[in-house]
Amino acid sequence: MAVTQEDQKIKEFIAICRENGLSVTPQRLSIYKALIGDTSHPKPEDVYKRIEKEHPTISLATVYKTLETFEHYGIISVVTPLHNTVRYDMMTQPHHHIVCVKCKKVIDLFDEQLKDLPVPEQVTKDNRLINYSIQYNVVCAECRRQQS
Ligand SMILES: [Zn+2]
Ligand SMILES: [Zn+2]
């Protein structure tokens, strides 16, 4: 039987948990599974909606806390919160974002040119740069269509 991408991801997840002494609870596993392959940069509420059927006893607060834990261990990352709500990202390799200011859609952007962008001196003078992410704010095609 072929190992699916999901199996592979779950294996990685369990390995990271073990390394960090984090127990793999059914809730954590369900929350993680709900995120696999998700490119929509979901809000905690979106994740909650996906798993509440399977875990009726789980609270939104638990989902919030679990996502924060995942972020702490580098399992997922946070998209720069330009909206009132935090958005999570399954893609942990460096990339950029195209964000629609109207519908709040967040699209991943991978661009070779942006990889080698010169970093302004003001950034590196007194600080240690960890990474950077560029955000292009747009009105997306769908929203443009609705405007006209
Ligand atoms: Zn839009
Ligand atoms: Zn992203």
Side-chain angles (χ1 to χ4, degrees), residues 14-146:
I14 292 171
I16 294 173
C17 287
R18 294 238 166 98
E19 266 167 47
N20 293 289
L22 208 65
S23 53
V24 184
T25 62
Q27 290 187 340
R28 281 187 183 143
L29 195 59
S30 293
I31 292 173
Y32 184 75
K33 275 191 191 161
L35 290 166
I36 295 174
D38 185 342
T39 56
S40 73
H41 304 84
K43 303 191 276 278
E45 286 81 359
D46 299 332
V47 180
Y48 174 69
K49 267 184 225 144
R50 273 177 225 165
I51 63 154
E52 67 172 339
K53 252 203 199 124
E54 203 185 321
H55 294 271
T57 56
I58 205 165
S59 68
L60 182 58
T62 304
V63 173
Y64 265 90
K65 247 184 40 206
T66 306
L67 292 170
E68 276 168 20
T69 305
F70 288 177
E71 197 231 335
H72 179 82
Y73 291 106
I75 296 166
I76 56 175
S77 64
V78 167
V79 182
T80 311
L82 74 160
H83 313 305
N84 298 329
T85 165
V86 62
R87 301 279 292 260
Y88 284 101
D89 202 333
M90 278 302 277
M91 193 69 67
T92 42
Q93 60 253 54
H95 66 284
H96 308 284
H97 291 114
I98 303 169
V99 179
C100 177
V101 296
K102 294 224 175 278
C103 67
K104 322 286 193 222
K105 176 161 56 199
V106 181
I107 301 158
D108 287 330
L109 171 67
F110 296 91
D111 190 289
E112 284 301 313
Q113 277 177 304
L114 296 178
K115 252 188 189 161
D116 305 313
L117 223 53
V119 178
E121 205 203 315
Q122 201 189 337
V123 177
T124 48
K125 207 174 77 181
D126 299 315
N127 311 306
R128 183 173 63 89
L129 178 65
I130 301 162
N131 58 36
Y132 67 87
S133 171
I134 293 171
Q135 182 176 303
Y136 295 95
N137 298 325
V138 302
V139 178
C140 76
E142 246 168 80
C143 291
R144 286 179 63 195
R145 233 174 284 134
Q146 279 167 20

